[in-house]
Structure formats: structure tokens, C-alpha cells
Amino acid sequence: MSRRLGAHLAIPLAALAAPAAAQEVVHETDELRIEAGFDAASVVFVQNNAWFGESEANIGVESEVWSEFAIEPQLYVTIKDVLGGELSGGISAVASQTYGESADGFAAGINDPGAVTLEKLYIGWKSDLGEDDFVQVLAGNFDYQIGTGFLIRDGGRDGGDRGGFYLGARSASRGSVLARVQKDNLLVEGFWLGNNSGPRGVQAHVGGVNAEYAFSDRASMGVTYIEVGHFDDPVIADVAEQLKTYDIRASVGLTDQLTLSGEYALQRGADYYRGNGWYAQAAYEFTNLPLAPILTYRYAVVTGDDPNSPENEEFIPLAYGFTDYAQWYQGELTGNWIFGNSNQKTHMVKGAASLSEVVTLTGTWLNFTLDDPRQLGIEDDDFGNEFDVIVDWTATDRLFLSAAAAVLIPGTAAEQFTGGDQTWVHFMLYASVSF
């Protein structure tokens, strides 16, 4: 299980190939290795003025205090020396539950929603080609991630009747295939990824190729092509199945302290899709200061739709996911409960420092502007400012604890969109264990 999993997805898909978390070897010989794992997570929320004081008007319920729980037992098997490589397989299941009314509103009217579902179920083969080179094939339900998760990270659906919206324990794609080759500094991947939308959701698949090249330990770039291969909604399938995404990204460490990175994704198809999303980021580590803090600035744009044009200019966020705070759920409040990763322009300033070997402190400011407020039927684009403070404590090798406080101050756009004008205040306590 990852620290933050799940949220508003347009075409939910996938996240990170191979076993997750910490597993214990329960049996091993020269020919066979069997590993088992068990992950559990829980979170408690206390909020004041959710949805700027108008939660019932926006999501149908009053949301103040609620909790979530999730577990994932896992089993992995590796058979050695099969066709010059290793044959592997994995299976896991997720059980999740929410008690109380979550601020996402997807479970409004459902009393304490929860579900047990199959998560991973895959078979794979991998052969080492010397040094760090390899060839690998995976098929089934597995995790997969591209880059920072801006496009592809989370293939599951949580919340609603399944509960556990914030924990987002379901991340594996369904009915998927991945082939990858690593040779020297070049990684090339081909994929066919399906989503885990549940029986009430829209089933979808995307296919594509991804290539990444490391020029050095400090510099790398990647390019990706993704197209929707199947979209199980007869009303819009003919158009949705023509959506194509072209992506390029890069990261370069100019010095030991300063790293620049960025990504640009262009969406076209059917003479209809005209969206794009991009970000530029700079991170500087103050190695000469106590605690060696890291200061990061990022500007990100994910376009919105102009309702007066025949095209759709909205950036379709595909299967983005959490890989770091404010990435790519932009804000503990705004990114988790209000918006998916579209129709936003955001300035982010984030500072992080290690208070000790096991305790880290992160503070983030995000300024939100709507790219096109007309998509929401409003006029102003100033949505607001969010301030997050998060303390993480790796208590043991198996126990992780986190506490967060967040404040979202509404701008005129937020007031027009929700009808509320109060400052949204949020407190969160999180715990996870892995065996």
C-alpha cells in the first residue's frame, strides 16, 4: 500500500510493476522462493467548514469526522531457472471500510461503505542480461507507474460503495500486459492497461509505449505515447477511443543541490480533444544548513474546457496518482476532495526537512487558479490558497505514522462554485503497518 492512494480519475488505470511493501520469505530453495506480506492502514479525519461551510449543499451530507481502514494480504511465488530467467506470480486482496461521511461525497447515503476485492493476480517472467540489464513480461493485474505518476500511477477505484477513498488501497490495473527491456541506460516498455472500476464503473483500456534514457546519474528524460483502446460506454466510446496522449519529460541535476525537472503532455483525437498539461519544477537542497532542508517550487497547468467551443480543451487526467506530497493530488484538501488533475493553474512552494533519521517535516503552500472557470459555470478564476503541514514518523521498519493539518482559504471562484465562504480546516492522523 502506498501512503496516499486513490481519487478523482477520468480513466483510472495503473501503478509500479512487481511486489509492493515489505514481504517475508516463508520458503526458499535453489529452485523456489515464496514470500508473504500483509499491509494495513488506517486514517482519521476531523474537519471544520468542509466545502467552505457548505458540504451538504455540495456533496449531500455534512462531513466533519470520519475514519477509514484497509488491509491487503499478499502472496508471491518465484520459480528460478525457467527458460533462462525467473517465473513469478502474485496474488493479493484488499478489504476497505469507511465509518462516517467522507468529504469526497461519493458514498453519500451509504451507511459505513466497505468491500473486499481481488487486487493483484499476475504472472511474469524476467531474465537478467548482465549488470542492470533485463527483459521482463507481466500479464494480469499488477501495479505500473510512468515517471512521477503525472499520467499513469493508479489503476484502482476506491470510495463510494467500496469505502477507503483517501487510503486508495486499490492501485493495480486489470487484464493488463507489460513488456519491458532495460539495456545500458535505455528502458523501453510496451503496455496494455485496464482499470479496476468495479461493476458500476466504466471499463477502459489504454495501450502505449514508454521510453526512458539516463544520460548520467543526474540527467534523464522520457517519452510516452498513450491511446485509449477500449472504453465501455456506448454513448461516448467512438470519441473516447480516439483520445491520444503524447508526453515528454526530463530531469537534470545542475549541481549537487539544484535539480530542475518538467513534463509536457499533449492530448489530441477525433478533432475533439485539445487538452494539455505540463509543469516546471526546481528543487534546491540546502546542504550547509542544519537539517539540510529541501525547498521546491513548481508551476503546473492542466487545462480546462471552454464550453463555448465545439472541442474539449480539458486535460483528461487518465490515471495519475500519489508519489509525493502535492504530487499529483495537489493539496491535502483541494487535490483530495475537490478537483481531479485538470482545469487548474497552481503555484506550489514546498519545504521539507529531516528532523531526525526517522522524522520528517513538510510544509506546502499552493495557490489555485482555474484555467477556465466557464467549465464550472462561474466567472472568476481565483480559487484560493492552501497551506499544509505534515509530520511523518517512521517509528519502526514496519510502522509508519503521519499527522497533517491543512487550511484552505477560498477565493472568489471557490465561493461562486460551492456557495461557501468559510475557511476549510482539516486535521488527519494516519498509521500503516507492513509485514
Side-chain angles (χ1 to χ4, degrees):
M1 258 179 230
S2 59
R3 159 65 182 80
R4 163 65 178 94
L5 321 102
H8 309 257
L9 304 182
I11 304 177
L13 300 169
L16 190 69
Q23 290 88 43
E24 291 290 336
V25 177
V26 296
H27 177 76
E28 185 168 22
T29 66
D30 291 341
E31 297 82 24
L32 177 68
R33 181 171 68 252
I34 301 176
E35 298 171 276
F38 183 86
D39 297 338
S42 63
V43 64
V44 177
F45 296 94
V46 178
Q47 295 194 353
N48 187 37
N49 295 324
W51 289 87
F52 309 110
E54 294 291 341
S55 64
E56 189 168 5
N58 284 275
I59 62 174
V61 294
E62 291 290 341
S63 179
E64 296 179 347
V65 180
W66 76 97
S67 59
E68 299 178 5
F69 302 88
I71 61 171
E72 183 183 1
Q74 308 145 45
L75 181 67
Y76 303 100
V77 177
T78 301
I79 303 174
K80 305 173 185 178
D81 298 324
V82 177
L83 300 176
E86 292 186 340
L87 186 67
S88 62
I91 184 171
S92 72
V94 166
S96 57
Q97 189 88 38
T98 294
Y99 295 96
E101 299 290 356
S102 169
D104 64 276
F106 294 154
I110 304 175
N111 185 37
D112 297 339
V116 178
T117 60
L118 178 70
E119 176 64 358
K120 298 182 182 70
L121 180 60
Y122 69 86
I123 186 169
W125 178 82
K126 182 178 181 180
S127 178
D128 291 332
L129 303 178
E131 296 184 355
D132 296 326
D133 301 340
F134 64 86
V135 58
Q136 182 181 28
V137 179
L138 288 171
N141 308 340
F142 53 85
D143 290 335
Y144 177 65
Q145 175 179 325
I146 294 176
T148 65
F150 186 63
L151 295 176
I152 300 292
R153 172 64 178 86
D154 191 336
R157 178 186 68 81
D158 292 275
D161 58 335
R162 290 178 166 182
F165 176 82
Y166 181 89
L167 293 176
R170 297 168 180 88
S171 61
S173 57
R174 290 288 179 95
S176 303
V177 178
L178 171 68
R180 58 200 331 202
V181 177
Q182 173 81 49
K183 180 62 177 175
D184 296 326
N185 296 329
L186 177 65
L187 172 68
V188 179
E189 302 173 320
F191 53 83
W192 175 257
L193 306 171
N195 64 336
N196 175 11
S197 62
R200 300 181 183 180
V202 175
Q203 303 293 320
H205 279 83
V206 300
V209 293
N210 176 59
E212 300 175 2
Y213 188 82
F215 297 96
S216 66
D217 292 340
R218 290 184 177 179
S220 63
M221 71 172 295
V223 293
T224 305
Y225 170 75
I226 304 171
E227 66 175 52
V228 177
H230 164 251
F231 196 80
D232 192 17
D233 184 335
V235 177
I236 62 172
D238 289 345
V239 175
E241 289 176 359
Q242 297 185 58
L243 174 63
K244 298 173 175 59
T245 302
Y246 309 85
D247 179 83
I248 185 169
R249 59 197 178 274
S251 176
V252 56
L254 297 182
T255 69
D256 290 340
Q257 291 79 37
L258 178 62
T259 300
L260 303 180
S261 59
E263 186 164 358
Y264 181 81
L266 178 72
Q267 295 184 325
R268 293 292 185 267
D271 294 325
Y272 176 68
Y273 293 107
R274 290 291 184 273
N276 63 83
W278 62 273
Y279 69 91
Q281 177 173 297
Y284 190 87
E285 182 176 7
F286 293 86
T287 54
N288 295 327
L289 295 180
L291 309 181
I294 300 174
L295 183 65
T296 302
Y297 170 77
R298 183 186 71 214
Y299 182 65
V301 175
V302 280
T303 55
D305 181 43
D306 175 3
N308 298 318
S309 76
E311 293 86 15
N312 182 6
E313 295 86 4
E314 180 184 10
F315 178 71
I316 309 300
L318 297 180
Y320 71 98
F322 172 89
T323 50
D324 195 2
Y325 293 119
Q327 181 178 291
W328 283 104
Y329 298 99
Q330 298 192 60
E332 288 292 294
L333 291 172
T334 311
N336 282 310
W337 312 120
I338 303 178
F339 289 133
N341 207 25
S342 64
N343 197 17
Q344 300 175 57
K345 298 177 180 178
T346 57
H347 295 276
M348 182 201 75
V349 177
K350 179 170 64 176
S354 297
L355 305 184
S356 71
E357 292 184 355
V358 296
V359 178
T360 60
L361 174 66
T362 303
T364 307
W365 165 70
L366 296 113
N367 170 261
F368 294 94
T369 302
L370 299 179
D371 179 64
D372 198 325
R374 294 170 296 179
Q375 181 178 350
L376 303 180
I378 60 178
E379 298 178 354
D380 201 89
D381 63 358
D382 176 19
F383 197 83
N385 291 275
E386 179 170 337
F387 301 88
D388 302 336
V389 177
I390 302 168
V391 178
D392 293 326
W393 177 27
T394 305
T396 70
D397 291 341
R398 303 186 184 278
L399 175 63
F400 177 84
L401 302 172
S402 184
V407 173
L408 178 54
I409 303 170
T412 303
E415 295 175 4
Q416 292 177 352
F417 178 54
T418 67
D421 59 3
Q422 304 298 306
T423 297
W424 188 341
V425 180
H426 159 107
F427 298 96
M428 180 270 288
L429 293 175
Y430 170 93
S432 66
V433 292
S434 298
F435 297 96

